[in-house]
């Protein structure tokens, strides 16, 4: 495999033996040469520290596994990053064999002047030689004042009060404290997917839950808004209790650039509401984006700028919080408070000297302009690669901060691998490129996190040769992995499989029950898995699919009534949404999944409901990803809107209150679907049916009919609310369009016939058809709601203590559905899918009554009836 073709400066070894002698300290001190320039080679010290380290070269991973973090050691081994790097100069690291690696990550921008810059080293050695005063807290060194002065000179006017810290997180934490103290306000706002460090303060601002899991509770009073969303930001600031809004001008995690006008408008909002505007330039600052500071692009004038990482040119820990004098003084500016915010190493002499060296080198060598030119060269090259390789989805960034977002390949084989890889870990896929770049081409890059982005942060000193060398290496890797056959796919698939195997088993192993019903030819390529098919809606869907000549497999719990499915001749896969193993078997070989299964319950516990509706959906999505399912139709419900009442509620409506656990769980399940869509490239469609009626609706229409026959039906608020009816065949039409229509993926669609029929009219019509008197008993909504709440909770308690299995007589969900207008606009389904209700109310009612009169629903009924208008397929608790 061709290695990177640029000429890294040689360390001057003729052979591996010579390299090894060098590492053992066996060659002369000035042996290594860099670009013809003599370098001081390996140092020595009387205490033998460096000599010992040299002698133990090769033990680093064993030592780390024993005394540091063995899981990181594992990751390095798995990815093949377990090299024995022995030295670093400029853009390259060198391993024990003298092999050079072009560093396109530089420790997340830390070594931005390249590794071991001789200019910084010279200043550090000079500072050490001076025997300067250090660590005396009641003392200010000239170096600290000079660095503060030089930093301020490069920032917008007025930013002239500096606090030095050792890490970026400490600088962020300082700004959080200063902003609170200066404004006397408690709250802090940051952005989703932002990153500000991992100590507890900054972690409270971080967007990704992944970093926070297990470390809570975090700081109270911290809220996040989407990056780019000014409305949400204003909503947070309006209360005038927010001390600071903290934002990265370009988000480092995914290299997300702000929408046009966003940062300027965010700054203006902060001014309007008295919130301090904090720009975190810890990653973007000091030339990285082709400007001294990224904020210059938008002419920002923030209240704080935070600097770190590159400030010491990759030599010393140093970071800075820079703010306005007035803010500084309001926060700590009294004699008594001058010592309340300090840091032992904050302004140590070596960090200050390295910071000054770095600023001067950037200035002297014109590295800001150079970064801009090299960035343009790289981005042009990457855009050209994007044109040739479908896997390169987007290229973005500024200067030498570049994100390459990869996308799903189109071939079926590669897509299957792609999904398996995403299932194992959301940040694994970029390794398909990162591993061979490193192993075969000696180029170091890094995946940006739990996403498909590869982040490039090469040194600002990058040469044109090195930039071209990187592009050539990436071109070769992309060409290799393009089709899906390369061994690199197998390498990453193996990592995915190993990762999945390492996950703690959640299920006790059990002998899987064999499939029943009509067996399906394994070679068929239109197999559709239906969940919830033993229920009302799922059963109708299975029936229609069979009628259309499609191959159908239905998931059925062992204790469910499968008589209809047996009559239909579908294949029955015994299983359960809570059993990932059963879902993996059921989904294998399926092209489509229609997910109607859910626990529709108004009195099960939140955990029970979430286990089926949220975790069950996630389990099914995971199984679908592994099976390379092409389209996933998810049945949700209009209950996710929280019963707002009113007319023609559309898909953009967001629930403003907690309604019940069922509605909440369906909303969370939708989020799972969208997550899988993004992470696993699944084509997904969400349908939100309203009140579905029709034959076999035992849980809704059947329950209402039983109550009417028993003269026990009760309306809410006189039955004047719109019932939101949708005839089941019309819903099935929508489901088929969701499966087949090319514009459906990514869409969420209300499905309702759009009738003005109220509950009073519907029950009157049913009563007439059943030969019963009309329903006239009714409770006012507030009374019914209170009663529903009490009964629901009372039943839950009884269920826990006595094992009662009957549902409550009335619940909040039933009261909300019966008492508030269920009027939902299906305009989007009409416009995008071309859907229209085929069966009108009169025909739907006739068919329903025919079924009711045939079935004779004369089961004894409780005193009050609370039919649960079934908003998705599913079943009650057993
Ligand atoms: C934007 C930003 N802020 C803060 C930090 C935290 O810096 P440190 O790791 O030095 O604490 C980082 C680190 O990656 C960062 O990228």
């Amino acid at each position: 495999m061709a290695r990177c073709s640029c000429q890294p400066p040689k360390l001057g070894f003729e052979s591996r033996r010579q390299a090894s002698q060098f590492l053992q300290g066996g060659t002369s001190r000035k042996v290594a040469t860099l670009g013809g320039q003599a370098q001081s080679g390996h140092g020595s010290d009387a205490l033998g520290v460096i000599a010992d380290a040299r002698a133990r070269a090769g033990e680093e991973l064993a030592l780390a596994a024993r005394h540091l973090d063995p899981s990181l050691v594992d990751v390095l081994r798995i990815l093949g990053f377990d090299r024995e790097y022995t030295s670093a100069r400029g853009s390259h690291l060198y391993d024990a064999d003298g092999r050079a690696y072009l560093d396109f990550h530089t420790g997340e921008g830390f070594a931005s002047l390249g590794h071991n810059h001789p200019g910084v080293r010279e200043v550090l050695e000079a500072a050490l030689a001076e025997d300067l005063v250090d660590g005396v807290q009641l003392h200010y060194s000239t170096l600290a004042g000079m660095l503060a002065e030089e930093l301020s000179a490069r920032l917008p006017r007025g930013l002239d009060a500096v606090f030095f810290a050792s890490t970026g997180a400490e600088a962020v934490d300082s700004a959080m404290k200063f902003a609170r103290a200066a404004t006397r306000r408690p709250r802090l706002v940051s952005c989703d997917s932002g990153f500000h460090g991992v100590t507890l303060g900054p972690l409270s601002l971080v967007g990704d839950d992944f970093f926070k899991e297990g470390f809570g509770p975090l700081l109270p009073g911290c809220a996040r808004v989407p990056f780019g969303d000014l409305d949400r930001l204003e909503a947070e600031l309006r209360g005038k209790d927010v001390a600071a809004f903290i934002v990265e001008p370009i988000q480092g995690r995914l290299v997300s650039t702000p929408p046009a006008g966003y940062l300027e408008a965010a700054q203006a909002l902060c001014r309007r509401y008295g919130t301090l505007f904090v720009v975190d330039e810890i990653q973007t600052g000091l030339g990285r984006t082709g400007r001294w500071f990224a904020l210059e692009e938008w002419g920002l004038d923030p209240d704080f700028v935070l600097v770190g990482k590159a400030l010491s040119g990759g030599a010393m820990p140093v970071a800075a919080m820079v703010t306005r004098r007035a803010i500084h003084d309001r926060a700590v500016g009294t004699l008594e408070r001058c010592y309340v915010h300090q840091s032992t190493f904050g302004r140590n002499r070596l960090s200050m000297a390295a910071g000054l060296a770095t600023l001067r080198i950037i200035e002297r060598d014109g590295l800001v302009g150079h970064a801009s030119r090299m960035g343009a060269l790289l981005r042009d090259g990457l855009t050209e690669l994007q044109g040739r390789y479908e896997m390169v989805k987007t290229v973005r960034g500024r200067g030498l901060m570049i994100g390459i977002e990869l996308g799903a390949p189109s071939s079926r084989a590669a897509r299957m691998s792609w999904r398996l890889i995403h299932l194992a870990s959301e940040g694994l896929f970029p390794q398909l490129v990162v591993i061979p770049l490193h192993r075969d081409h000696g180029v170091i890059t890094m995946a940006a996190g739990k996403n498909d982005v590869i982040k490039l942060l090469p040194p600002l000193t990058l040469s044109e040769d090195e930039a071209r060398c990187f592009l050539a290496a990436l071109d070769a890797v992309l060409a290799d992995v393009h089709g899906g056959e390369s061994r690199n796919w197998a390498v990453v698939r193996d990592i995915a499989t190993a990762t999945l195997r390492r996950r703690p088993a959640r299920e006790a192993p059990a002998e899987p029950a064999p499939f029943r019903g009509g067996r399906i030819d394994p070679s068929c390529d239109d197999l559709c898995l239906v969940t919830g098919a033993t229920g009302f809606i799922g059963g109708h869907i299975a029936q229609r699919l069979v009628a259309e000549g499609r191959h159908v497999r239905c998931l059925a719990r062992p204790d469910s009534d499968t008589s209809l499915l047996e009559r239909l001749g579908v294949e029955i896969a015994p299983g359960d949404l809570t059993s990932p193993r059963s879902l993996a078997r059921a989904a294998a070989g399926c092209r489509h999944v229609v997910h109607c299964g859910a626990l529709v319950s108004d009195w099960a516990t939140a955990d029970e409901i979430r286990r089926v509706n949220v975790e069950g959906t996630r389990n099914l999505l995971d199984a679908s990803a592994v099976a390379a399912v092409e389209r996933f139709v998810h049945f949700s419900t209009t209950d996710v809107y929280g019963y707002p009442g009113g007319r023609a509620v559309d898909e953009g409506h967001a629930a403003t209150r907690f309604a019940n656990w069922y509605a909440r769980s369906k909303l969370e399940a939708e989020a799972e679907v969208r997550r899988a869509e993004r992470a696993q490239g699944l084509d997904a469609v969400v349908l939100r049916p309203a009140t579905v009626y029709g034959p076999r609706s035992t849980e809704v229409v059947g329950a209402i009919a039983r109550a009417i026959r028993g003269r026990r039906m009760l309306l809410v608020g006189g039955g004047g609310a719109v019932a939101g009816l949708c005839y089941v065949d019309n819903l099935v039409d929508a489901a088929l369009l969701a499966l087949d229509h090319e514009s459906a993926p990514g869409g969420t669609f209300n499905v309702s016939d759009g009738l003005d029929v109220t509950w009073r009219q519907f029950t009157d019509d049913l009563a007439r058809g059943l030969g019963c008197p009309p329903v006239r008993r009714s409770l006012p909504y507030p009374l019914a709601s209170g009663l529903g709440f009490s009964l629901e909770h009372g039943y839950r308690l009884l269920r826990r203590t006595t094992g009662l299995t009957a549902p409550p007589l009335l619940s909040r969900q039933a009261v909300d559905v019966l008492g508030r207008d269920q009027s939902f606009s299906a305009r989007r389904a009409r416009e995008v899918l071309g859907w229209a209700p085929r069966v009108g109310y009169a025909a739907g009612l006739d068919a329903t009554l025919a079924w009711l009169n045939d079935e004779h629903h004369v089961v004894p009924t409780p005193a009050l009836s609370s039919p649960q208008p079934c908003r998705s397929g599913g079943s009650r608790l057993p």
Side-chain angles (χ1 to χ4, degrees), residues 533-535 539-540 542-543 561-570 696:
T534 54
H540 277 273
Q543 188 171 12
D561 174 5
T562 52
S563 50
L564 171 75
L565 303 182
E566 279 154 28
R567 282 201 303 280
L568 290 175
V570 299
R696 302 205 297 272

Side-chain angles (χ1 to χ4, degrees), residues 284-631:
T284 51
L286 302 172
R288 172 59 55 193
T289 65
R291 300 175 191 261
W292 265 101
F293 290 95
L295 60 84
E296 293 161 27
E297 176 173 347
W298 301 280
L300 301 177
D301 189 16
D303 300 303
F304 289 84
V305 175
L306 309 177
V307 192
K309 289 194 186 293
L311 182 54
S312 75
M316 295 297 300
V318 61
M321 175 200 80
V322 190
T323 185
R324 300 177 192 288
R325 172 61 48 211
I327 293 171
H328 181 279
D329 290 353
R330 270 208 303 279
V332 296
T334 59
L335 294 183
E336 310 80 70
R337 284 175 64 78
C338 73
Y339 206 73
V340 295
H341 189 81
Q342 293 298 336
S343 173
T344 304
F345 292 98
R347 45 179 199 272
N348 74 83
R349 67 195 189 286
L350 294 183
S351 292
M352 299 298 100
L356 282 160
T358 300
L359 296 183
R360 291 180 185 194
I361 289 166
I362 295 175
E363 194 82 68
R364 181 195 70 194
D365 297 348
L367 293 181
V368 176
H370 182 73
S372 170
R373 284 189 298 282
M374 288 303 104
L377 188 153
L378 280 174
R379 268 200 316 283
D380 286 351
L382 291 169
T383 308
E384 193 269 326
L385 293 180
Q386 184 185 4
R388 284 194 282 129
Y389 299 109
E390 60 169 3
M391 256 167 56
V392 180
K393 198 162 125 195
T394 51
V395 176
R396 53 181 184 250
R398 296 285 192 282
L400 286 175
M401 179 174 185
I402 301 175
I404 307 171
E405 182 161 1
L406 303 178
S410 59
S411 84
R412 190 166 158 82
R415 251 179 115 82
M416 275 182 84
S417 301
W418 193 81
R419 288 188 183 160
L420 172 75
I421 293 163
H422 278 79
L423 183 62
S425 165
E426 285 178 12
L428 183 56
F429 180 63
Q431 300 301 340
L432 182 69
V433 174
V434 169
I435 290 175
L437 265 179
H438 177 254
R439 186 194 56 217
D440 304 330
H441 299 270
V443 176
I444 297 173
T445 54
M446 235 176 109
K450 296 262 162 204
N451 51 65
D452 283 344
V453 176
I454 298 173
K455 199 158 117 185
L456 307 181
L457 294 163
L460 306 185
T461 48
L462 187 77
S463 73
E464 194 170 325
D465 245 18
E466 289 162 348
R468 292 194 193 288
C469 163
F470 167 78
L471 290 170
L474 183 62
D475 190 352
V477 169
L478 288 170
D480 175 59
V481 297
H482 189 54
E485 276 90 44
S486 151
R487 77 179 167 115
N488 287 311
W489 278 99
V491 168
V492 184
R493 256 199 329 263
D494 287 350
I495 297 174
T497 314
T499 309
L500 287 169
R501 278 210 199 101
R502 276 177 166 210
R503 281 203 187 142
R506 280 181 292 169
E507 275 180 76
E511 199 51 42
F515 286 3
R516 295 187 284 117
R519 297 315 308 269
I520 288 180
D521 175 359
S523 66
C524 87
D525 72 349
D526 69 339
L527 183 56
C528 181
L529 174 68
V530 182
T531 70
T534 54
F536 166 47
I537 296 171
H540 277 273
I541 287 174
Q543 188 171 12
R544 175 78 71 81
L545 289 170
V546 169
E548 292 206 347
R550 305 199 197 199
H551 293 95
V552 180
R553 179 181 292 158
C554 296
L555 185 77
R557 279 175 297 156
D559 56 351
S560 294
D561 174 5
T562 52
S563 50
L564 171 75
L565 303 182
E566 279 154 28
R567 282 201 303 280
L568 290 175
V570 299
E571 191 171 56
I572 299 170
D576 192 313
L577 289 168
T578 58
S579 155
R581 189 177 296 122
S582 72
L583 296 179
R585 290 175 68 231
C590 290
R591 185 168 188 174
H592 296 141
V593 170
V594 179
H595 179 34
C596 304
L599 177 57
V600 186
S601 172
D602 39 21
W603 70 307
T605 65
D607 281 349
E608 287 166 336
I609 295 175
R610 290 191 81 255
R611 199 158 52 242
V612 177
N613 295 358
V614 184
E615 287 168 31
T617 299
R618 190 186 309 141
N619 293 338
L620 184 63
L621 287 161
D622 286 351
S624 303
V626 174
V629 163
E630 284 179 15
R631 195 167 292 188

Side-chain angles (χ1 to χ4, degrees), residues 108 166-170 172 195-198 248 280 282-283 309:
E108 202 89 11
S166 308
T167 65
E170 199 187 341
V172 175
F195 186 81
H196 301 282
V198 295
E248 296 158 271
D280 180 346
I282 288 167
Q283 196 161 137
K309 289 194 186 293

Side-chain angles (χ1 to χ4, degrees), residues 790-811:
S790 314
L791 284 171
E792 197 183 300
H793 284 275
Y795 263 68
R796 261 199 198 111
L797 200 65
L798 273 177
R799 201 184 123 210
R800 236 176 273 141
T801 48
T802 67
L804 171 83
T805 57
L809 303 174
L810 201 62
S811 69

